[in-house]
Amino acid sequence: MIKTVFFGTPDICLPTLKTLHQNPHIQLDFIVSMPPRKAGRGMKMKDPPVALFAKDQNIPLLQTNGINKEEEFLSQLEKEGLDLIVVFAFSQFLSSRILSLPKWGCFNIHTSLLPKYRGAAPIQYALLNGDTQTGVSIQKMVKKMDAGDIALSKTVPIHREDNGSSLYEKLKEESALAMDSFVDQITSDSLPLTPQDEAHASFAPTLSKRDGHLQFASHTLVEIENRLRAFDPWPGTFCYLNKKLLKVFELAPAPSHSSLSPGECSAKHGFLLVGAKDQTVRLKTVQLEGKKVCSDTELLNGFRHKIHLS
């Protein structure tokens, strides 16, 4: 049996965690996750999905904001002779001490085809850049972020209709399949490790709310569409209509008779139009601050103010 500890927090981890738990070669000794946080309208303390799974399955659980400071726990792992640590969306850097604990090392699941999109937001950056494929990589962890040798990778196509939500679900399931293959390789003693090519490394840093602010004048229609895809569900895409927040959910090319300069806006013919870098864009489905989601025509019905988008 492979004595294993799993580090992870959000629900993207669950299919992979279940795969490990059900594998006859894996002995899942511990799960490490983040502590409860306030969530929902009532802002009640809530355990993350991985912690809930551990409790439901009666697997020993450690919840911590600082794994590298858990001296008693780490000493216990050292004494037990650990074989493997699997890390997925854990959000904490691991010290050299932890990386050296298991016999076979610590392996991280990353939702891109490394060395492309190292960092916190690989799913969003693949969509943002209009990529036609992404994937899952399992890499042996080193001190440098997402830079370890690749043990296994699987490619996932990106379709034009994909957005952040749908691609997340695809990669969630593909990660579990990759982990199944990874365990097969370990148990058959055939785990290839391929160094990453640093010359092709790129990065996907953490997103912030302001990244969703649409800058029409400096981006083409396709680039703006990619933002809508990448930032769904978070941070969302928005601009300001007469200084009020306007969430944007759907775009369309403007009618052929409409032509606006980059950044110029118009409410003619019941359409909310704005000039992008290469053509005029219709903001087709929107939500004005304090209002319900609606079409631009519904929003503009009875709108008597001169409009300004920013």
Side-chain angles (χ1 to χ4, degrees), residues 52-307:
L52 290 173
F53 177 86
K55 291 178 180 180
D56 183 64
Q57 299 297 322
N58 295 313
I59 301 169
L61 170 69
L62 173 68
Q63 292 179 263
T64 177
N65 280 314
I67 183 59
N68 299 309
K69 297 179 181 179
E70 297 288 347
E71 181 61 39
E72 184 178 344
F73 175 73
L74 297 179
S75 295
Q76 182 180 357
L77 292 186
E78 286 173 336
K79 292 174 184 176
E80 290 194 1
L82 195 61
D83 293 316
L84 178 68
I85 288 178
V86 175
V87 181
F88 192 6
F90 182 55
S91 301
Q92 295 183 41
F93 286 103
L94 305 187
S95 66
S96 298
R97 178 185 181 186
I98 297 176
L99 294 178
S100 63
L101 276 175
K103 172 184 171 183
W104 285 321
C106 300
F107 287 84
N108 177 64
I109 303 167
H110 189 73
T111 49
S112 79
L113 295 173
L114 290 170
K116 197 171 190 180
Y117 303 136
R118 296 175 180 175
I123 297 174
Q124 291 83 0
Y125 275 83
L127 291 164
L128 192 61
N129 291 326
D131 292 356
T132 57
Q133 68 175 26
T134 184
V136 172
S137 301
I138 299 181
Q139 55 106 13
K140 188 171 185 179
M141 296 175 71
V142 294
K143 286 294 289 180
K144 188 175 180 180
M145 183 181 65
D146 299 329
D149 292 351
I150 303 297
L152 182 148
S153 62
K154 288 184 175 288
T155 299
V156 173
I158 301 176
H159 302 298
R160 192 62 204 164
E161 62 270 20
D162 277 323
N163 59 20
S165 297
S166 65
L167 192 54
Y168 177 96
E169 292 299 324
K170 286 183 180 181
L171 292 166
K172 180 178 177 179
E173 298 305 320
E174 195 63 45
S175 296
L177 296 175
M179 180 50 58
D180 217 22
S181 299
F182 173 76
V183 174
D184 285 346
Q185 288 178 331
I186 284 184
T187 53
S188 62
D189 200 25
S190 59
L191 188 65
L193 291 174
T194 305
Q196 294 187 40
D197 185 349
E198 289 293 323
H200 291 95
S202 61
F203 297 90
T206 303
L207 297 171
S208 68
K209 180 65 179 176
R210 64 178 178 271
D211 289 315
H213 190 176
L214 297 172
Q215 306 292 335
F216 297 103
S218 56
H219 293 113
T220 66
L221 171 59
V222 169
E223 289 171 336
I224 297 167
E225 287 175 333
N226 286 343
R227 277 168 163 69
L228 264 68
R229 298 167 64 213
F231 300 152
D232 177 356
W234 195 89
T237 43
F238 63 92
C239 59
Y240 293 92
L241 174 62
N242 294 353
K243 297 185 178 180
K244 284 191 174 183
L245 183 73
L246 182 73
K247 295 180 180 179
V248 181
F249 299 103
E250 185 183 6
L251 301 173
S256 57
H257 60 268
S258 303
S259 181
L260 298 174
S261 302
E264 185 183 1
C265 58
S266 168
K268 291 182 180 178
H269 311 295
F271 296 149
L272 184 55
L273 306 177
V274 60
K277 185 177 180 179
D278 63 337
Q279 66 182 93
T280 302
V281 177
R282 177 186 173 192
L283 310 188
K284 190 175 180 180
T285 305
V286 294
Q287 182 180 19
L288 188 62
E289 187 178 327
K291 304 290 184 181
K292 294 181 179 180
V293 176
C294 63
S295 70
D296 56 341
T297 303
E298 291 171 312
L299 175 68
L300 294 172
N301 186 28
F303 202 93
R304 291 179 172 80
H305 302 286
K306 183 177 179 181
I307 69 164

